[in-house]
Amino acid sequence: MKRVFSGIQPTGNLHLGNYLGAIKNWVAMQREYDCLYCIVDLHAITVAQEPDELTNNTREVTAGLIAAGLDPKNCIIFNQSRVAAHAELAWILNCFTPLGWLNRMTQFKEKAGKKRESAFLGLYAYPVLMAADILLYHATAVPVGEDQKQHLELSRDIASAFNRAYDVDFFPLPEPMIFGAATRVMSLRDGRNKMSKSDGSDYSRINLTDDADSIALKIKRAKTDSEPGLAHDLERRPEAANLLSIYAALVDEPMERVAAEHSLMGFADFKSKLADLAIETLGPIAARMRELLADPGYIDGVLANGAARARHIADSNLGEVRRIMGLLDA
Ligand code: AMP
Ligand code: TRP
């Protein structure tokens, strides 16, 4: 059966972009495929983390995934640092990754900004760890949002480099699975920036923990333009396009159909319809998340059990890597 792997950082503020770009698709795939979903705490520490917050965020993201519909009986949910093979394979793959490839990564450039010289090696090597995550399980399908496409291409290049170096066909090449009507949800304050966990303004995003009133208020205040009617010239109207694509993803319909259906509607009416829809979808997720978070023992149990199952696959594949490379084992 096709194996699916994807990851999400435990950095707080799970938002609508995470849900529509990734988690919703993960839920849809869990019954059909052999799926592993990883809370990537080793990726999170590429930027400074406060220890208690990291623990809480790991539990919160896990609760969010389960509340959104992932069932630990149908998929493996675990936190990355618990399965040591991720870090070990990442080191090995570092030795097959030319600096030139990493220099092209736009996420590193964005995150390091002008302070490139003082950026940490971990941040630079972030995409190699991501390749290790995927290749460790021989996963071939990787459901992610649009922003991860470049990292996925790099994972393919690294897999090929390893295979070529040893003249083997060991790592299958992973494919990004970027689907749904909202693969890149934009900030509600600026349609040219993506919705992100780290945006300073809480009004830029809808968090999965937001209550109905905050969702309604955030959508009401979302930036718009002054053109009459919302569904025309979308290529030059990022805010209108964003609101329509969020709606389309929530109702699981193509963007074109949603645009056609609302061609005569103004922003105010559309926003109120969108707010009702968002509340209807996210309300039950937030409620379930609160219940789950009241029982951290259950969450910790899910992660421990998931890690044990993941370790089983990971250790066996890493053993093969060591054998291929001639690394002596006991
Ligand atoms: P992160 O929050 O960076 O760990 O991302 C977790 C998953 O959510 C990845 O698959 C991302 O591609 C996806 N994602 C994050 N932000 C967005 C967004 N604004 N729109 C769509 N997908 C997103
Ligand atoms: N880099 C991804 C993000 O920020 C998270 C991630 C880590 C991931 N490892 C992965 C996604 C493996 C897919 C597969 O969104």
Side-chain angles (χ1 to χ4, degrees), residues 8-9 15 17-18 21-22 144-145 147-148 183-185 195 197:
I8 185 161
Q9 299 193 59
H15 55 71
N18 296 131
V144 283
D147 60 336
Q148 295 302 313
T183 56
R184 188 172 168 83
V185 177
M195 185 177 285
K197 289 169 175 164

Side-chain angles (χ1 to χ4, degrees), residues 287-303:
R288 181 83 185 109
M289 238 173 122
R290 274 191 291 276
E291 281 170 21
L292 286 162
L293 284 170
D295 186 1
Y298 170 73
I299 305 273
D300 292 358
V302 167
L303 292 174

Side-chain angles (χ1 to χ4, degrees), residues 5-9 40 43 80 107 126 129-130 133-134 142-144 147-148 151-152:
F5 185 100
S6 198
I8 185 161
Q9 299 193 59
V40 292
H43 278 106
Q80 186 186 31
Q107 189 168 302
Y126 177 114
L129 177 59
M130 179 163 163
D133 294 341
I134 301 165
V142 185
V144 283
D147 60 336
Q148 295 302 313
H151 286 161
L152 254 294

